[in-house]
Amino acid sequence: MAGPKGPDRTDGIQPNAIRDDVDESTEKFASLEDTSGHMLHKQLETRHMTMIALGGALGTGLLIGTGSALATSGPAGVLIDYIIVGWVVFIIMTALGEMVSYMPLTQGFGGYATRFVDPALGFATGYTYCFKYMIGTASQLSAFALVMKYWVGDSVNPAVFISIALVGIIIINSVNVRTFGEVEFWLSLFKVLTMVGIILLLFILAVGGGPSGDRPGFRYWRDPGPFAEFKVKGDAGRFLGIWSALVTAVYAFTGTELVAVTAGESKNPRLSMPKAARLSFYRVFFFYVLSVFFLGMVVPYNSEALAFATHASKSAAASPFVVAIRLAGIKGLDHVINGCIVLFVLSAANSDFYIASRGLYGIAADGKGPTIFAPSGAKVFGYLTSCVTVFGLLVWMSILLCHIAFRRAQSIQGVDPAYVAYRAPFGTVGSYIALGFLSVLIITKGAEIFVGDNFDYKTFILGYIGIPVYLALYLGYKFSMRSSYVRAAEADLVTGVPTITVAEEKAIYEACRKEREEAKPRVYWVRKFYKFLAWLF
């Protein structure tokens, strides 16, 4: 068939996201218009999208939270946790890559839920994602103030640092999306280089390259052992430690889905989204798995310094990588790491602010929020709580539900493969497995609260409050608006889909790229350097 079928469509796709004039297929596209008439400027390139995805994932969850996971589960346990969650994130990212590359929507995740599952799910997903990053922005700003406290102590009020960072973030997000993309690109590049340096340092320390010449190797895997006992003794305590640390791993990986939020502001989302989804996760997986593996070789999970770090709050002293440096006897490097953490936190706060503001835009564009947010991108406020992870899990589950419904609709409606830019390698089977795992995890993630004599009701409430909020949003919208489930045969697989095939769009893109290169030729080594950067980013 000629293209995707859908409501009021008998002979292929009608013009929407990409116009017939090939001269306007790239740079001359100033905006992406959705069905409600709202506009987003299309100024983000592939390198922006890829590095934004990477920047949203590499943050305080890795540099600080990993210490808590190591102390709770041990070196083998934390490695297992990061591999499991990494696989789930890969499933989510490939599912997103398939949906977004076929149909880039300005409404964000809520738009896909509205179109393929149920408008009520779109309402709940949109607000849940927005809440998550409203909270995340405030949390990151608080973290920035506490990181700065490592140098200034109590001589400066934390509100000063929070105000300075917030003003800077608002300016970056308000000027234009390209400014945000450039700032986040270079911050994320710095974070990548920092993590490469940290991984190399940990490896060097593990093989005896530190000042003392000590070669720990797998010593700490033998004593105190590969798994930590958490709250109770024996195998039950070791399993509880692994399961409890999964939540920390989830928090560390949240943000990888940010690349899908930026698709509405990308010049060529159908071409850039698959590459961004694949490469961003592989790099994140590389950085996370290797860093926790080497960390477990140089820092014992029962170290007093590490036990102190897991109870410290958002400062360089709370970083397990600083603990590794101190145990190795490297003087002065703790200040360098603290400076790196400052930029990590600022980059994470910048990304969180962007997602929250675009989340409000998406809700408005989807017709489920005040339209005042649509043109302005919204002013975001946040309340500092500790429930970011549960909101993240709920959003991930919604994404997987959308992918399952999306694939079912494509199968029933017989979409032409020529219009499909990317297929998730594990298909709906992977989405079902990941959804089942996340369902079990979100219910049991607070199991350690019920172990022992003291029940911490505050931790229980904060850990599970996202679930009743999500259900209230879903059921409230469903009963008040009387929404119904979207049947696969009636799902809109047309509106917002490009009118040309993937091969045609690639040809146009390559022709425009060659035309630019011919107009501004570069010397041989510069061309090779840019080609390498294009592959890397």
Side-chain angles (χ1 to χ4, degrees):
M1 12 183 87
K5 298 190 297 183
D8 302 324
R9 186 69 49 84
T10 58
D11 55 353
I13 313 170
Q14 297 298 324
N16 188 13
I18 293 184
R19 305 168 190 177
D20 293 330
D21 188 349
V22 297
D23 292 333
E24 296 182 348
S25 63
T26 53
E27 287 81 6
K28 293 186 179 181
F29 278 8
S31 60
L32 177 69
E33 183 174 4
D34 64 17
T35 55
S36 60
H38 300 125
M39 309 284 280
L40 283 179
H41 297 291
K42 300 178 67 177
Q43 299 179 1
L44 293 181
E45 299 176 359
T46 302
R47 65 183 180 92
H48 292 139
M49 292 183 64
T50 307
M51 291 305 295
I52 286 171
L54 186 58
L58 293 175
T60 54
L62 176 61
L63 277 185
I64 297 176
T66 305
S68 175
L70 179 62
T72 301
S73 61
V78 70
L79 183 63
I80 292 172
D81 287 341
Y82 274 74
I83 290 175
I84 292 175
V85 177
W87 179 82
V88 172
V89 170
F90 176 68
I91 297 297
I92 294 170
M93 290 299 297
T94 54
L96 271 177
E98 183 174 346
M99 292 190 295
V100 175
S101 62
Y102 177 79
M103 182 184 295
L105 298 179
T106 60
Q107 297 96 325
F109 304 133
Y112 294 104
T114 296
R115 188 173 291 200
F116 303 134
V117 184
D118 189 333
L121 184 66
F123 179 82
T125 302
Y127 275 104
T128 298
Y129 198 62
C130 187
F131 291 160
K132 175 183 181 294
Y133 283 99
M134 285 180 175
I135 297 168
T137 302
S139 177
Q140 299 293 352
L141 291 175
S142 176
F144 171 67
L146 290 170
V147 169
M148 295 300 296
K149 191 176 180 180
Y150 184 78
W151 287 314
V152 301
D154 296 325
S155 61
V156 180
N157 192 309
V160 174
F161 297 114
I162 292 175
S163 300
I164 293 174
L166 182 58
V167 170
I169 290 169
I170 291 175
I171 292 174
I172 292 171
N173 280 267
S174 299
V175 176
N176 58 60
V177 69
R178 186 172 182 84
T179 299
F180 164 81
E182 285 296 330
V183 171
E184 193 60 28
F185 173 83
W186 291 109
L187 281 175
S188 298
L189 179 58
F190 171 81
K191 291 159 69 173
V192 169
L193 296 176
T194 300
M195 287 308 305
V196 170
I198 289 176
I199 290 173
L200 289 176
L201 174 63
L202 293 178
F203 172 74
I204 291 171
L205 295 177
V207 297
S212 64
D214 181 42
R215 185 185 303 170
F218 287 93
R219 177 195 306 159
Y220 299 132
W221 284 59
R222 295 187 296 270
D223 183 20
F227 299 100
E229 296 176 340
F230 184 60
K231 286 200 169 183
V232 294
K233 299 291 185 180
D235 293 338
R238 285 185 280 271
F239 176 78
L240 184 61
I242 295 174
W243 194 257
S244 300
L246 277 171
V247 178
T248 304
V250 169
Y251 176 76
F253 275 101
T254 54
T256 51
E257 73 284 346
L258 167 60
V259 67
V261 180
T262 65
E265 303 189 57
S266 170
K267 291 178 180 179
N268 303 95
R270 191 156 64 157
L271 303 182
S272 58
M273 182 61 198
K275 181 178 181 180
R278 286 192 298 261
L279 295 184
S280 64
F281 173 73
Y282 284 132
R283 287 195 297 271
V284 170
F285 186 83
F286 169 81
F287 291 133
Y288 276 67
V289 172
L290 275 188
S291 62
V292 299
F293 175 66
F294 290 138
L295 185 67
M297 295 175 70
V298 298
V299 179
Y301 72 77
N302 63 351
S303 168
E304 293 183 3
L306 182 61
F308 170 78
T310 56
H311 291 90
S313 179
K314 306 291 187 182
S315 68
S319 172
F321 300 100
V322 173
V323 174
I325 293 168
R326 289 179 176 174
L327 292 177
I330 304 176
K331 299 185 181 299
L333 193 56
D334 55 336
H335 293 286
V336 176
I337 295 297
N338 193 64
C340 294
I341 292 177
V342 168
L343 290 179
F344 270 57
V345 172
L346 287 177
S347 175
N350 190 41
S351 297
D352 289 355
F353 189 94
Y354 172 87
I355 301 173
S357 62
R358 293 311 181 271
L360 286 177
Y361 174 91
I363 292 169
D366 202 25
K368 297 177 175 60
T371 56
I372 187 176
F373 293 133
S376 65
K379 295 181 179 179
V380 182
F381 65 94
Y383 299 98
L384 184 59
T385 66
S386 62
C387 55
V388 172
T389 301
V390 67
F391 282 115
L393 287 171
L394 289 167
V395 171
W396 285 359
M397 293 170 66
S398 298
I399 292 171
L400 294 170
L401 283 172
C402 292
H403 180 246
I404 292 169
F406 170 73
R407 287 292 294 269
R408 185 184 298 120
Q410 277 195 330
S411 176
I412 290 178
Q413 296 186 29
V415 171
D416 189 343
Y419 292 86
V420 179
Y422 176 73
R423 286 289 191 189
F426 292 98
T428 56
V429 174
S431 294
Y432 274 116
I433 295 174
L435 181 62
F437 173 77
L438 293 179
S439 300
V440 174
L441 178 60
I442 200 170
I443 294 173
T444 62
K445 73 185 199 69
E448 72 275 6
I449 303 173
F450 301 94
V451 177
D453 298 329
N454 298 323
F455 177 78
D456 188 349
Y457 71 93
K458 295 180 181 179
T459 302
F460 175 80
I461 293 174
L462 291 174
Y464 286 97
I465 193 172
I467 297 177
V469 170
Y470 183 85
L471 292 176
L473 289 169
Y474 175 80
L475 295 175
Y477 185 92
K478 191 166 188 66
F479 287 117
S480 62
M481 304 302 292
R482 300 185 182 277
S483 66
S484 59
Y485 295 106
V486 178
R487 296 180 180 273
E490 299 173 356
D492 184 2
L493 295 177
V494 174
T495 307
V497 178
T499 62
I500 58 178
T501 66
V502 177
E504 291 171 337
E505 185 174 346
K506 286 182 178 179
I508 295 171
Y509 177 80
E510 288 299 321
C512 292
R513 183 183 61 81
K514 291 180 180 179
E515 183 179 347
R516 289 196 304 269
E517 290 180 353
E518 292 174 357
K520 296 180 179 180
R522 300 187 180 100
V523 297
Y524 176 79
W525 69 269
V526 175
R527 291 200 306 270
K528 291 296 183 181
F529 178 70
Y530 271 84
K531 190 174 183 179
F532 171 74
L533 286 181
W535 172 83
L536 188 61
F537 301 129

